[in-house]
Amino acid sequence: MDKLKSLVSSGSSSGASDDEDSFVEEFNRQCTLSLKHRIILFAIFFAIGLILSIVAGVLVFSIVSNPERFAIPYTLGAIFSLMSTIFLMGPCSQIKKMFATTRLIATFVYLASIGGTLAVALTIHNVPLTIFMIVIQMMALFWYSISYIPFARKAVVGCCRGICRC
């Protein structure tokens, strides 16, 4: 159980300033949840995200006639799934990891594609552009996700280069 607690506890980075450390420490003191509550909230948010993604999968064939019908549950599912990890790692730790230099571009592309998908589906109602934004969102999620696995991006790039040389 101690290993699980150390995994889900949020720590401050060693290079942060004293003001930032005190802010993070104060924020963490104000936002204390027990391990049980953190895991329960993670499970709830992840389940909501999963259910919305499944609903989007069922509605995928309606994308041609009504793109927002697919785009809204799909994008909200992605948002809830991303938010679920905040309960495990803590908000400050999550934000620090999301905007670390190794995944900064992946984070911006993923968050921009989430916003772009909703904007295109809800305001423009352009089916090809909505499908394009959904594909960008899926690719950005994949790239963002593998940024947490050591050497995974290098392996994927190597595989793609190997396939393209055939």
Side-chain angles (χ1 to χ4, degrees):
M1 194 60 148
D2 290 335
K3 286 185 179 183
L4 183 59
K5 284 183 182 179
S6 68
L7 275 175
V8 297
S9 66
S10 63
S12 61
S13 64
S14 60
S17 68
D18 289 339
D19 291 338
E20 186 177 325
D21 283 343
S22 63
F23 171 75
V24 170
E25 290 170 7
E26 179 64 26
F27 186 79
N28 285 336
R29 273 195 297 275
Q30 297 296 325
C31 297
T32 56
L33 291 172
S34 69
L35 178 62
K36 178 182 175 182
H37 288 117
R38 291 170 81 166
I39 292 173
I40 289 170
L41 287 169
F42 163 77
I44 289 170
F45 272 69
F46 187 77
I48 291 170
L50 183 64
I51 290 168
L52 286 168
S53 296
I54 291 170
V55 167
V58 171
L59 297 173
V60 73
F61 297 111
S62 69
I63 197 167
V64 174
S65 61
N66 196 358
E68 64 268 6
R69 199 167 180 205
F70 170 80
I72 291 171
Y74 178 77
T75 303
L76 289 177
I79 291 169
F80 272 93
S81 296
L82 185 62
M83 287 176 53
S84 70
T85 59
I86 288 174
F87 294 106
L88 289 181
M89 297 180 1
C92 293
S93 178
Q94 173 76 15
I95 290 171
K96 283 181 183 178
K97 288 181 182 185
M98 284 177 68
F99 293 98
T101 56
T102 57
R103 65 183 62 89
L104 185 64
I105 294 172
T107 299
F108 278 126
V109 172
Y110 183 49
L111 294 177
S113 67
I114 286 173
T117 301
L118 286 176
V120 168
L122 296 175
T123 59
I124 300 174
H125 302 288
N126 184 320
V127 174
L129 191 55
T130 302
I131 294 171
F132 175 75
M133 289 304 300
I134 290 168
V135 169
I136 295 295
Q137 184 178 346
M138 288 177 180
M139 291 170 47
L141 173 61
F142 174 73
W143 196 252
Y144 170 79
S145 297
I146 65 171
S147 73
Y148 284 92
I149 304 169
F151 305 108
R153 292 192 287 187
K154 286 183 181 180
V156 169
V157 168
C159 288
C160 290
R161 285 185 182 151
I163 291 171
C164 291
R165 289 184 187 159
C166 292

